[in-house]
Amino acid sequence: MSSTRACLPPRAARARFRAGANGPTAGLAPGHTQANLIAVPAALAYDMLLFCQRNPKPCPVLDVTDAGAWTTPLAPGADLRTDLPGYRVWEHGELVAEPTDVTGYWRDDLVAFLLGCSFTFEAALIAAGVPVRHIEEGRNVPMYVTERPCRPAGRLHGRMVVSMRPVPPDRLDTAIRETALYPSFHGSPVHCGDPATLGIADLDRPDFGDAVTVEPGEIPVFWACGVTPQTVVTASRPPFAITHAPGQMFITDARDEHHRVL
Amino acid sequence: MSSTRACLPPRAARARFRAGANGPTAGLAPGHTQANLIAVPAALAYDMLLFCQRNPKPCPVLDVTDAGAWTTPLAPGADLRTDLPGYRVWEHGELVAEPTDVTGYWRDDLVAFLLGCSFTFEAALIAAGVPVRHIEEGRNVPMYVTERPCRPAGRLHGRMVVSMRPVPPDRLDTAIRETALYPSFHGSPVHCGDPATLGIADLDRPDFGDAVTVEPGEIPVFWACGVTPQTVVTASRPPFAITHAPGQMFITDARDEHHRVL
């Protein structure tokens, strides 16, 4: 199915998910921006927006909806309640449901945050000749909860989650440069080298996703990750939240290249 | 006085303003980041933060304080109520005072926004060999209220203000590139060329600042401007706000080069 799916324009991909299809969105609608979703009650929206402002690398904001709205200018005609393949519903920091449609869970006071996703910069890395190991190996990117605290905002706090891609030393400069040009998609790495610096004990045991091969001499490079808001939810225990299911992103009509600063 | 003042470290410059000195901050503490200030009551802080998120070119957020606080990690030990050379106090969109100290006006519910300022990218332009006319001519940069509306947020709306610098055609690429690398300081231009596209009738009659010479063949280049929040205040008429006085910025301890994406 993948080649057929990959060729779908964003609107058609969203229509399939609206009709009930689910699964990872990696590689779908190439060139179009995918986004992380976190929706919280309006009473918590200021804390969430401030948290994002204070932690722009893990939480780069692409759009924020008005309370109760399920639409965004990033994808006219889309419905944020139905057009993602999978969702997670949280109450007091506990995962209570994993539906493919959250129409029944949506509330009039929900504010949805759409955050940049590393799928955008991975396309840029590949285009620049930097290998992306988990794509080569057909796996999900390995993600780790670090010991590095995010800067808190109001009631919200939590530790930064990072994703890791091994990079050959002669491609490190390119990898840093290419991702730095996408500050709306996590930007440059937060760390290169020894995982212990971030409090990561074992690269072979990621907290989310799959381990990948690190070849001798390759440098593990760590980027801030859009899964961070989910650790904030579990740490801060807001009364209610809806997020995307990991890897099952919102596909927008926006073009990746429009977000490149140069 | 200028050469003596320019050599002051940020802390010493702030101490002079705290002691009562005032005047423009252009050229002071070179290499250190200067910031626009707008403080609003907490009840309006979400709208303000959302406005900034939706209009990142005119309103790039560097820091947001907790309600009532007058401190920022951008300048440990600084007091936002006293350490700017000049302030403007607004009630219902009307300018009611222009003091050099706002300690008596500060409220427990005020949230202060520090926004990036073009002084940072002007230093980068000069370093890259792009002439900056208003500096050459010893004037304030010309600023214009455009016909382009900002994207509204809650109760806040207003038109974008731009600053203009004439650029020789063979430096245009460099000017765009250098400023694009500073997305926290207005980023790349919003328009190059015909002022009428932005609804500007006459370059010789700026709404703020001073007109500058545009040599034959030079292209007027327009960047989003940090004065935009003041037009938002006059258009949206919030009950209360405090801003910096034009050109009299907050000098932080942060280094400009740390904000460059590459």
Side-chain angles (χ1 to χ4, degrees):
Chain A
M1 176 177 183
S2 62
S3 65
T4 310
R5 286 175 65 186
C7 295
L8 288 178
R11 183 180 297 266
R14 294 193 299 264
R16 287 202 179 189
F17 298 135
R18 191 183 301 193
N22 69 351
T25 54
L28 295 190
H32 294 278
T33 300
Q34 299 196 23
N36 299 280
L37 168 73
I38 178 166
V40 297
L44 204 66
Y46 180 70
D47 287 356
M48 188 69 220
L49 187 52
L50 188 60
F51 188 89
C52 293
Q53 192 282 321
R54 289 180 174 175
N55 300 280
K57 283 202 160 184
C59 303
V61 180
L62 300 180
D63 192 39
V64 181
T65 64
D66 291 317
W70 47 77
T71 59
T72 168
L74 295 176
D79 186 330
L80 291 170
R81 305 168 303 173
T82 59
D83 290 4
L84 281 73
Y87 298 85
R88 288 182 156 184
V89 181
W90 306 81
E91 290 180 5
H92 301 288
E94 304 290 336
L95 181 62
V96 296
E98 295 195 89
T100 61
D101 180 318
V102 288
T103 306
Y105 292 94
W106 206 261
R107 299 167 23 162
D108 286 346
D109 68 342
L110 280 191
V111 175
F113 293 75
L114 296 170
L115 309 180
C117 159
S118 59
F119 291 168
T120 293
F121 78 61
E122 287 179 349
L125 288 174
I126 292 168
V130 178
V132 178
R133 185 61 36 77
H134 65 275
I135 293 178
E136 293 173 345
E137 296 186 336
R139 300 179 190 174
N140 194 358
V141 67
M143 293 164 272
Y144 309 86
V145 180
T146 70
E147 288 182 348
R148 193 175 288 190
C150 292
R151 191 175 158 204
R155 290 152 286 182
L156 298 179
H157 56 90
R159 290 182 289 162
M160 189 188 298
V161 179
V162 295
S163 60
M164 188 281 290
R165 294 160 191 79
V167 176
D170 65 347
R171 292 286 180 277
L172 190 59
D173 176 60
T174 303
I176 293 170
R177 176 187 174 77
E178 283 301 312
T179 54
L181 293 174
Y182 287 98
S184 299
F185 297 87
H186 308 309
S188 59
V190 293
H191 178 62
C192 302
D194 186 3
T197 303
L198 295 172
I200 299 169
D202 185 352
L203 284 183
D204 288 332
R205 299 184 60 185
D207 295 293
F208 310 98
D210 307 313
V212 297
T213 307
V214 181
E215 299 290 352
E218 287 184 336
I219 296 162
V221 180
F222 300 90
W223 281 269
C225 177
V227 172
T228 302
Q230 299 197 29
T231 69
V232 170
V233 166
T234 56
S236 312
R237 303 185 160 270
F240 187 75
I242 293 174
T243 66
H244 67 286
Q248 304 194 34
M249 320 301 288
F250 178 59
I251 301 177
T252 77
D253 292 351
R255 303 286 312 194
D256 286 341
E257 72 263 26
H258 290 169
H259 297 283
R260 201 171 192 266
V261 299
L262 274 183
Chain B
M1 177 180 182
S2 62
S3 66
T4 311
R5 286 176 65 187
C7 294
L8 288 177
R11 182 181 299 265
R14 294 193 300 265
R16 286 202 180 189
F17 298 134
R18 191 182 302 191
N22 69 352
T25 54
L28 294 191
H32 294 277
T33 300
Q34 299 196 23
N36 299 279
L37 168 73
I38 177 165
V40 297
L44 203 66
Y46 180 69
D47 287 355
M48 188 69 221
L49 188 52
L50 188 59
F51 187 90
C52 293
Q53 192 283 319
R54 289 179 173 175
N55 300 281
K57 282 202 160 184
C59 304
V61 179
L62 300 179
D63 192 39
V64 181
T65 63
D66 292 317
W70 48 77
T71 58
T72 168
L74 295 176
D79 185 331
L80 291 170
R81 306 168 301 173
T82 58
D83 289 6
L84 281 73
Y87 298 85
R88 287 182 156 185
V89 181
W90 307 81
E91 290 180 4
H92 302 288
E94 305 290 336
L95 181 62
V96 297
E98 296 194 89
T100 60
D101 179 318
V102 289
T103 306
Y105 292 94
W106 206 262
R107 299 167 22 163
D108 286 346
D109 68 343
L110 280 191
V111 175
F113 294 74
L114 296 170
L115 309 181
C117 159
S118 59
F119 291 168
T120 292
F121 77 61
E122 287 180 349
L125 287 174
I126 292 167
V130 179
V132 178
R133 184 64 34 79
H134 64 275
I135 293 177
E136 294 174 343
E137 297 187 337
R139 300 180 190 173
N140 194 358
V141 67
M143 293 164 272
Y144 308 85
V145 180
T146 70
E147 288 182 349
R148 193 175 288 190
C150 292
R151 191 176 158 204
R155 291 153 286 182
L156 298 179
H157 56 90
R159 291 182 289 162
M160 188 188 298
V161 179
V162 295
S163 59
M164 189 281 291
R165 293 160 191 82
V167 176
D170 65 345
R171 292 286 181 277
L172 190 58
D173 176 61
T174 303
I176 294 170
R177 176 188 173 77
E178 283 300 313
T179 54
L181 293 173
Y182 287 98
S184 299
F185 297 88
H186 308 308
S188 58
V190 293
H191 178 62
C192 302
D194 187 4
T197 304
L198 295 172
I200 299 168
D202 185 353
L203 285 183
D204 287 333
R205 299 182 60 184
D207 295 294
F208 310 99
D210 307 314
V212 297
T213 307
V214 181
E215 299 290 351
E218 287 185 335
I219 296 163
V221 181
F222 300 89
W223 281 268
C225 176
V227 172
T228 302
Q230 299 198 27
T231 71
V232 171
V233 167
T234 56
S236 312
R237 303 184 160 271
F240 188 76
I242 293 174
T243 66
H244 67 287
Q248 305 194 34
M249 320 302 288
F250 179 59
I251 301 177
T252 77
D253 292 352
R255 302 288 309 195
D256 287 339
E257 72 263 27
H258 290 170
H259 296 283
R260 202 172 192 266
V261 300
L262 273 181

